[in-house]
């Protein structure tokens, strides 16, 4: 399974970005996609996850500002990030799994990251 994360870039505080994570190449359906972020020198931080059934989980630190959705037909998940803050600056990674789960750190497939930079 290959994961392609895209949509990162530079935003001003209060602005928005939408990240996409597209899964391809698997023999079985991808039922879970999750996001985490990491700042250099700091621990990974869970952001959001969603299953093909629509069950989702959002970290408290971003709840109310970030939403997660997916297009099952495209095996793609989206992380809509609104009202961005400088502390949201990080590399955002997406992971995926055939099983139903909401913990990206337990997912089998790990993707490359996309950098999000929020200026004040």
């Amino acid at each position: 399974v290959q994961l392609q994360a895209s949509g990162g870039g530079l935003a001003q505080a209060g602005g928005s970005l939408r990240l996409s994570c597209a899964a391809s190449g698997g023999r079985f359906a991808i039922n879970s996609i999750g996001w985490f972020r990491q700042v250099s020198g700091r621990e990974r931080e869970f952001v959001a996850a969603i299953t093909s059934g629509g069950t989702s989980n959002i970290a408290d630190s971003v709840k109310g500002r970030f939403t997660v959705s997916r297009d099952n037909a495209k095996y793609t998940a989206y992380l809509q990030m609104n009202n961005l803050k400088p502390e949201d600056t990080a590399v955002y990674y997406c992971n995926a799994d055939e099983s139903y789960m909401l913990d990206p750190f337990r997912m089998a497939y790990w993707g490359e990251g996309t950098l999000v930079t929020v200026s004040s």
Side-chain angles (χ1 to χ4, degrees), residues 6-78:
S6 60
L10 176 65
Q12 290 187 337
S16 298
L17 286 173
R18 190 178 81 154
L19 305 184
S20 299
C21 177
S24 63
R27 293 182 60 192
F28 304 101
I30 293 296
N31 286 305
S32 302
I33 296 179
W35 299 89
F36 71 93
R37 63 188 182 186
Q38 188 168 27
V39 176
S40 179
R42 297 176 63 178
E43 292 187 358
R44 298 166 180 158
E45 179 187 11
F46 165 75
V47 177
I50 189 167
T51 70
S52 58
T55 303
S56 64
N57 190 24
I58 303 283
D60 288 341
S61 60
V62 302
K63 195 169 291 183
R65 299 187 297 120
F66 291 12
T67 58
V68 62
S69 62
R70 66 178 288 164
D71 183 334
N72 290 335
K74 297 180 179 179
Y75 291 128
T76 299
Y78 305 96

Side-chain angles (χ1 to χ4, degrees), residues 20 33 41 65 74 84 87 109 112 115 117:
S20 299
I33 296 179
R65 299 187 297 120
K74 297 180 179 179
L84 284 162
E87 51 263 43
Y109 308 108
E112 300 293 327
L115 176 62
T117 303

Side-chain angles (χ1 to χ4, degrees), residues 87-108:
E87 51 263 43
D88 295 320
T89 296
V91 179
Y92 285 70
Y93 298 85
C94 69
N95 294 351
D97 200 284
E98 292 97 343
S99 299
Y100 292 86
M101 61 176 71
L102 293 175
D103 182 353
F105 303 117
R106 293 177 51 223
M107 295 180 186

